[in-house]
Amino acid sequence: MTGGKVYLVGAGPGDPGLITIKGIECLKQADLILYDGLVNPLLLEHVSSEVERTCRVAEGCQNRRVLKQDEINQRLIAAAREGKTVVRLKGGDPFIFGRGSEEAAALRDAGIDFEIVPGITAATAAAGYAGISVTHRAYASAVALITGHEDPTKPDSSLDYEALSHFPGTLVFYMGLHNLKQIVSSLIQAGKAGETPAAAISRGTTPFQKTVQGTLQELPDLVQEAALVAPSLIVIGECVSLRDHIAWYEQKPLFGLRIGITRAEDQSETEIQQAIRLGAQPVLLPTIEISKPADQAPVDQAISRLEHYQWLVFTSANGVRYFMDRLWELGFDSRQLAHLKIATIGPSTAEALLAYRLRADLTPPQYRAEALAEALKPLVAHQSLLWAGANRGREVLQTELAKVSATVEKVVVYENHDVAAWNTESLRLLESGEVDWVGLSSPSIARNFERLLSDAARTQLGKSIKLASISPVTSQAALEAGLQIDAEAKDYHWDGIFAAIQEYRSLHS
């Protein structure tokens, strides 16, 4: 074996949470990632290596050249020979109708070292997300995995429909949507009862999963009426009837919605995961980027003078992280703060403190600067406060606390920078009206969101795209920028945004 190494990794069928821990470890160490079109791109958001999408069919491969399997094999071999660690990221499991064995054979023939990292296949994942158990001790003790799309160069089908029609368990056909009528007629002609329970699942384990259920003989018409699209899974057998009682995924509160996440991309993981947990598809629409200050000298000077302050104030989780990280970089730790009282603007900021084993002494009942100032006024007269914040922000704290002769010194511990443009795919979803909601989580984000809108995307506002604001202050900034707010959070954090969207949906459904 020579050169680098290739990992053939199963990414699961759609939900990014279904990749294995080993699969994630491979992504983190890769120099190059070649991923299939069916792989959820959210898996790639926190990967720093070079990424290329491979397409073997024209469908879903806009503006990209369709690659033959031999070309993909040669790309893997060439990259490994350059000494790179390569991940071939494939939908589902690479060895279950994924052509992974063909790629492995090509690598072995070329003398390239490789490993197989299995993935969760659609038969278990998509069926489970549709509420269908493919085995059950009362209904089926066996399951058959079958391709519904054989090699088109083969002269005849290798499927024995006579044997399949009498198989004592559940039949699961992959990629059979286009051949469904032929599959159904062949099974029935071979003796399978037309009344056998059956289901077709489209885009399984994604927020756009759609399932139709009926009898085997009804299934082609049901699929046509529902306009199901690939990728798909066809399940045939008595176990399908269990869906009536245990279907769960399609009942999630925000199922089927695309929600724009406007936080900085490298800090939006929590919001992305919460959207997925609620059944929504997150769309990354960052309007700002977060970075350390260009000049750390003012931060260092403030840290060197901590004994001169009585209070330390944080108005964002970013402020907590960047301040505490700089404290550590300078060789100090939280003991430097022992004499200080700490105030935070809201629970998410207070929660960020907990990572450093610190508790906030004060968090106002309303999560806004005005409420924080009012809560501090009785406590800070004639005292000095250090506010660790961003390069942008309102001066409410300085103005209001000056009324009780308190001094607020602001030190910039992180900087917000405007994003120049969104990625092509996110902008396309906005312009086509395929984004349902966008969450606006600060006044500057609201203004930047309006600035980044193209004319085509702007026409979708109020028609297809609704806006949810994190607070009254953000709503006011949005209105001043010409944006209409459809829902406003009662609790001023991203969970509040999701709750506001959920409430709106329940009221208008």
Side-chain angles (χ1 to χ4, degrees):
M1 300 293 178
T2 60
K5 184 168 184 173
V6 176
Y7 293 89
L8 302 178
V9 178
D15 183 338
L18 294 181
I19 192 171
T20 64
I21 293 175
K22 186 169 184 178
I24 290 291
E25 290 173 350
C26 291
L27 290 177
K28 289 180 178 179
Q29 70 183 42
D31 301 307
L32 172 65
I33 298 169
L34 301 178
Y35 72 101
D36 273 349
L38 294 180
V39 169
N40 193 322
L42 287 174
L43 284 172
L44 309 173
E45 285 303 322
H46 303 289
V47 172
S48 58
S49 53
E50 182 184 356
V51 173
E52 295 179 17
R53 184 178 181 184
T54 61
C55 294
R56 290 204 309 266
V57 295
E59 184 178 354
C61 196
Q62 300 172 352
N63 302 318
R64 293 181 178 89
R65 186 170 69 88
V66 176
L67 297 177
K68 296 179 180 179
Q69 184 63 56
D70 286 346
E71 293 179 289
I72 295 173
N73 295 349
Q74 291 306 313
R75 183 76 180 93
L76 294 171
I77 292 167
R81 283 178 173 164
E82 293 171 4
K84 293 181 178 179
T85 297
V86 185
V87 166
R88 174 71 170 121
L89 191 61
K90 303 174 73 67
D93 181 282
F95 273 24
I96 300 181
F97 307 123
R99 303 187 74 171
S101 57
E102 298 175 40
E103 294 171 355
L107 293 169
R108 176 56 51 84
D109 291 343
I112 302 298
D113 191 17
F114 67 88
E115 285 190 25
I116 309 300
V117 182
I120 299 176
T121 189
T124 52
Y129 271 49
I132 299 171
S133 172
V134 294
T135 65
H136 189 285
R137 61 182 180 173
Y139 300 114
S141 297
V143 58
L145 308 184
I146 312 150
T147 178
H149 182 75
E150 296 183 85
D151 186 342
T153 64
K154 290 166 56 177
D156 299 299
S157 172
S158 60
L159 295 180
D160 185 343
Y161 283 100
E162 182 73 26
L164 291 174
S165 68
H166 296 94
F167 180 76
T170 307
L171 303 178
V172 180
F173 285 85
Y174 288 64
M175 303 170 290
L177 206 61
H178 297 305
N179 298 323
L180 181 57
K181 286 185 179 180
Q182 178 185 344
I183 291 170
V184 169
S185 63
S186 297
L187 285 171
I188 292 176
Q189 288 175 14
K192 193 76 172 174
E195 294 74 30
T196 304
I201 308 161
S202 171
R203 304 174 76 179
T205 79
T206 77
F208 313 108
Q209 175 177 300
K210 195 171 184 179
T211 307
V212 297
Q213 175 185 355
T215 65
L216 178 61
Q217 61 192 5
E218 296 170 336
L219 195 60
D221 289 338
L222 293 173
V223 166
Q224 186 173 4
E225 291 170 9
L228 296 195
V229 297
S232 65
L233 196 75
I234 300 161
V235 187
I236 302 167
E238 295 300 326
C239 284
V240 170
S241 60
L242 296 171
R243 171 175 160 79
D244 296 333
H245 187 57
I246 61 175
W248 62 277
Y249 181 59
E250 294 162 37
Q251 299 169 8
K252 283 178 172 282
L254 298 182
F255 178 80
L257 295 182
R258 280 192 177 96
I259 299 178
I261 309 296
T262 51
R263 287 201 69 189
E265 190 167 329
D266 61 351
Q267 297 189 330
S268 58
E269 181 64 19
T270 299
E271 290 71 34
I272 289 171
Q273 294 305 320
Q274 180 66 346
I276 292 171
R277 280 192 290 270
L278 293 169
Q281 174 72 16
V283 178
L284 302 188
L285 296 169
T287 68
I288 58 172
E289 296 173 337
I290 307 295
S291 68
K292 294 179 179 180
D295 182 8
Q296 292 273 33
V299 184
D300 297 349
Q301 184 178 7
I303 289 174
S304 71
R305 299 177 61 250
L306 285 175
E307 69 274 8
H308 296 285
Y309 306 103
Q310 287 78 49
W311 283 83
L312 179 58
V313 180
F314 295 108
T315 52
S316 70
N318 284 324
V320 172
R321 285 190 285 268
Y322 278 91
F323 179 84
M324 295 303 298
D325 288 351
R326 188 57 181 170
L327 188 71
W328 180 263
E329 290 167 2
L330 292 175
F332 303 117
D333 55 35
S334 57
R335 286 174 292 182
Q336 297 295 114
L337 312 180
H339 68 287
L340 291 166
K341 297 285 189 181
I342 302 177
T344 60
I345 198 168
S348 59
T349 307
E351 186 177 350
L353 279 173
L354 297 179
Y356 303 93
R357 295 295 188 265
L358 294 169
R359 291 188 176 91
D361 297 285
L362 174 68
T363 302
Q366 291 185 320
Y367 316 139
R368 53 191 303 187
E370 288 81 359
L372 179 58
E374 287 304 311
L376 282 168
K377 279 180 180 178
L379 306 173
V380 300
H382 304 285
Q383 293 185 18
S384 295
L385 295 84
L386 177 64
W387 173 18
N391 58 321
R392 300 170 179 172
R394 299 182 300 145
E395 297 183 354
V396 172
L397 289 178
Q398 295 99 317
T399 302
E400 290 299 313
L401 295 183
K403 296 176 182 178
V404 294
S405 300
T407 302
V408 178
E409 180 182 335
K410 181 179 180 181
V411 60
V412 174
V413 296
Y414 70 98
E415 294 181 351
N416 290 328
H417 303 282
D418 295 341
V419 167
W422 289 311
N423 69 63
T424 303
E425 178 61 15
S426 293
L427 183 58
R428 184 194 70 77
L429 290 172
L430 282 173
E431 292 179 339
S432 62
E434 294 178 67
V435 175
D436 301 286
W437 285 87
V438 175
L440 305 175
S441 53
S442 76
S444 62
I445 283 177
R447 290 187 288 268
N448 279 341
F449 174 77
E450 196 283 331
R451 174 182 59 83
L452 289 167
L453 287 170
S454 65
D455 291 340
R458 192 173 280 105
T459 63
Q460 298 292 345
L461 294 179
K463 184 169 60 174
S464 300
I465 303 170
K466 296 180 177 60
L467 303 180
S469 163
I470 201 168
S471 68
V473 173
T474 301
S475 296
Q476 183 60 38
L479 292 171
E480 292 171 357
L483 302 174
Q484 175 186 324
I485 296 299
D486 299 282
E488 184 178 277
K490 295 176 181 176
D491 296 320
Y492 305 153
H493 43 65
W494 264 96
D495 282 349
I497 290 178
F498 289 127
I501 295 172
Q502 185 175 340
E503 181 178 1
Y504 183 100
R505 189 183 205 188
S506 63
L507 291 173
H508 293 82
S509 60

